[in-house]
Amino acid sequence: MTPQETVKYMLNQDFFSQWMGIKIIEIKDKYCLIEMPIKQEMINGLKTVHGGITFAFADSALAFSSNNSGEAAVALNCVINFTTAVRLGDTLFAESKLLTETRKTGIYDILVTNQNKDLVASFRGTVYKINKKAVDL
């Protein structure tokens, strides 16, 4: 399967990413760019997006980029820094790029920006390759 076919297969089974409204913009080997509109159900008591939504969005980008070569990988460690509040009506973009990898692990940087290209969060994820095919799970 191509990276695009693998991500399409994954997204078809990923009901949470579907609920979030994630759209695939670009897929390349160990890279992805995705988009998500902010919905009212994502807003917290301070009238900003719940941090867990931003984290989950970046985590989806990590999954799509780290699995699109066909080799299944799962998150080992993820760290996020929130830099700008996200509000209802915003559209977020997450760009995930591989920094480095070994036979069993990979480290990805994900930058989350809004429709104005303002950085709203930076996310670093480490994945573990589980020696299975992503489409066989």
Side-chain angles (χ1 to χ4, degrees), residues 53-73:
I53 294 292
T54 305
F55 186 99
F57 180 54
D59 187 46
S60 288
L62 175 65
F64 296 143
S65 60
S66 66
N67 285 278
N68 73 28
S69 67
E71 185 177 14

Side-chain angles (χ1 to χ4, degrees), residues 2-53:
T2 67
Q4 295 82 3
E5 291 168 332
T6 301
V7 169
K8 183 177 179 181
Y9 173 85
M10 290 175 63
L11 185 57
N12 284 339
Q13 299 183 92
D14 184 346
F15 299 108
F16 186 70
S17 289
Q18 290 175 37
W19 174 83
M20 288 193 300
I22 290 176
K23 294 179 187 167
I24 307 300
I25 305 287
E26 184 178 5
I27 299 294
K28 295 187 274 189
D29 190 39
K30 300 178 183 175
Y31 168 91
C32 80
L33 176 63
I34 60 176
E35 173 183 350
M36 177 183 74
I38 299 305
K39 304 187 278 188
Q40 186 160 355
E41 299 89 351
M42 299 172 171
I43 302 301
N44 66 23
L46 298 177
K47 298 182 181 176
T48 61
V49 167
H50 190 287
I53 294 292

Side-chain angles (χ1 to χ4, degrees), residues 79-136:
V79 176
I80 192 165
N81 291 292
F82 302 102
T83 57
T84 303
V86 178
R87 303 197 183 278
L88 185 61
D90 284 346
T91 299
L92 297 185
F93 299 86
E95 183 177 38
S96 178
K97 296 179 182 179
L98 175 68
L99 287 180
T100 187
E101 68 179 335
T102 68
R103 185 175 56 81
K104 294 302 283 178
T105 63
I107 299 173
Y108 288 78
D109 263 350
I110 295 96
L111 297 180
V112 181
T113 57
N114 65 16
Q115 69 278 1
N116 300 319
K117 300 193 185 309
D118 298 323
L119 182 68
V120 300
S122 63
F123 180 103
R124 178 163 287 178
T126 302
V127 297
Y128 179 74
K129 301 171 191 175
I130 61 172
N131 201 28
K132 294 185 180 185
K133 296 291 180 192
V135 296
D136 291 339

